[in-house]
Amino acid sequence: IMKDAQRPTTKFSEVIGAENAKTELAWFTEFLKNPKKYSMEGRRLPKGVLLYGPPGTGKTMLARAMAGESDVAFLETSATQFMNSYVGKSEENIRRLFRTARKYAPAIIFIDEIDAIAKERTGDTTSQHTMLNTLLTEMDGFRENVKEPVFVLAATNYDLDGSVSGKKRRIDPALLRRFDNRIYVDLPNEEERKQYLELKLNQKGKNKISEDIISNLAARTTGQSIVI
């Protein structure tokens, strides 16, 4: 259901834009580097971080960069990959992910598209709700080991109020409480779009594009994301 545990070498400096998100994630990076110190200082240990915002703003790359800066194992998956038609298999996929993370701890689990199993529950028992309950249980059960923490990062393209593209889909409040830190990853501004275009259009081996053309393209792409 996931890629093998990795040790990414990506750094925050390689992520174009998302300056506020990088600043906030840098604090958690320091925690992962020395969790015992933070615990001895009496600081509250973080539960996890939810990255939210429009698609194509670099949430996955930010997660990889946090692992690269922390030099810890990185386990990447998508909530849709948990799903299995066999009874109990989806829940076992979730438990297996957390078992693997404990094995490689300190580690970061990154769950993309978490809204796929995290829509607000209405009381009926569905497979998605069972999966969500399993995820909540796992997130509650692994924080005892301060020396070898497992940190959960998740991403969604939905706003926290459930709105996206004119639709409404609210993320379950119980899951939001597990993510006591929520970071908005915004669309790039004009200067950030210009940096991205310069990087992609003037790569080694390509004909150099003039700065005027790149500036013009950056100015005309307001409101667009950059897929990294």
Side-chain angles (χ1 to χ4, degrees):
I1 66 162
M2 65 178 186
K3 299 174 182 176
D4 292 335
Q6 309 164 55
R7 283 193 177 269
T9 58
T10 307
K11 303 297 182 183
F12 286 135
S13 60
E14 299 175 52
V15 181
I16 296 175
E19 295 302 326
N20 289 337
K22 286 188 284 188
T23 299
E24 293 191 56
L25 288 175
W27 187 91
F28 301 107
T29 297
E30 292 304 314
F31 156 71
L32 282 171
K33 286 180 178 178
N34 198 345
K36 189 175 180 180
K37 172 189 172 185
Y38 277 67
S39 178
M40 291 177 65
E41 291 175 352
R43 302 193 193 188
R44 184 171 60 90
L45 301 181
K47 295 180 179 179
V49 169
L50 177 64
L51 303 174
Y52 70 101
T57 51
K59 293 186 284 294
T60 298
M61 192 170 182
L62 280 168
R64 296 184 64 85
M66 181 178 172
E69 296 278 0
S70 307
D71 191 28
V72 299
F74 183 70
L75 292 85
E76 179 182 356
T77 189
S78 168
T80 56
Q81 293 180 304
F82 292 141
M83 299 175 184
N84 192 291
S85 58
Y86 291 98
V87 176
K89 186 66 175 177
S90 299
E91 294 76 17
E92 176 55 27
N93 286 340
I94 295 172
R95 288 190 285 267
R96 185 186 305 117
L97 172 65
F98 281 82
R99 283 199 303 269
T100 303
R102 292 186 189 97
K103 175 182 175 183
Y104 287 101
I108 292 175
I109 291 175
F110 176 60
I111 306 173
D112 200 8
E113 300 177 330
I114 199 166
D115 46 87
I117 63 170
K119 62 183 179 181
E120 189 171 20
R121 291 169 289 185
T122 57
D124 56 327
T125 56
T126 67
S127 59
Q128 286 190 355
H129 295 168
T130 305
M131 283 189 287
L132 179 55
N133 283 332
T134 302
L135 177 60
L136 296 176
T137 300
E138 289 295 326
M139 290 184 69
D140 284 341
F142 63 78
R143 300 192 187 102
E144 295 84 359
N145 193 338
V146 174
K147 293 182 180 178
E148 296 183 336
V150 174
F151 190 87
V152 180
L153 264 175
T156 177
N157 295 334
Y158 287 83
D159 293 330
L160 295 188
D161 65 358
S163 63
V164 61
S165 302
K167 300 179 181 179
K168 283 286 183 181
R169 187 180 186 185
R170 192 174 300 279
I171 293 178
D172 190 89
L175 182 66
L176 286 180
R177 286 195 294 272
R178 268 61 173 192
F179 292 102
D180 50 359
N181 299 278
R182 305 154 197 174
I183 300 175
Y184 182 66
V185 186
D186 203 354
L187 289 166
N189 59 34
E190 183 173 334
E191 180 58 33
E192 291 162 351
R193 295 194 303 274
K194 182 179 176 182
Q195 291 177 31
Y196 179 77
L197 289 167
E198 286 175 340
L199 176 67
K200 291 299 180 181
L201 295 179
N202 287 330
Q203 289 177 343
K204 186 177 180 180
K206 295 184 177 181
N207 294 326
K208 187 172 178 62
I209 306 298
S210 72
E211 186 174 342
D212 286 345
I213 292 176
I214 290 176
S215 295
N216 183 263
L217 286 172
R220 294 172 60 185
T221 51
T222 301
Q224 295 189 26
S225 63
I226 50 179
V227 180
I228 302 176

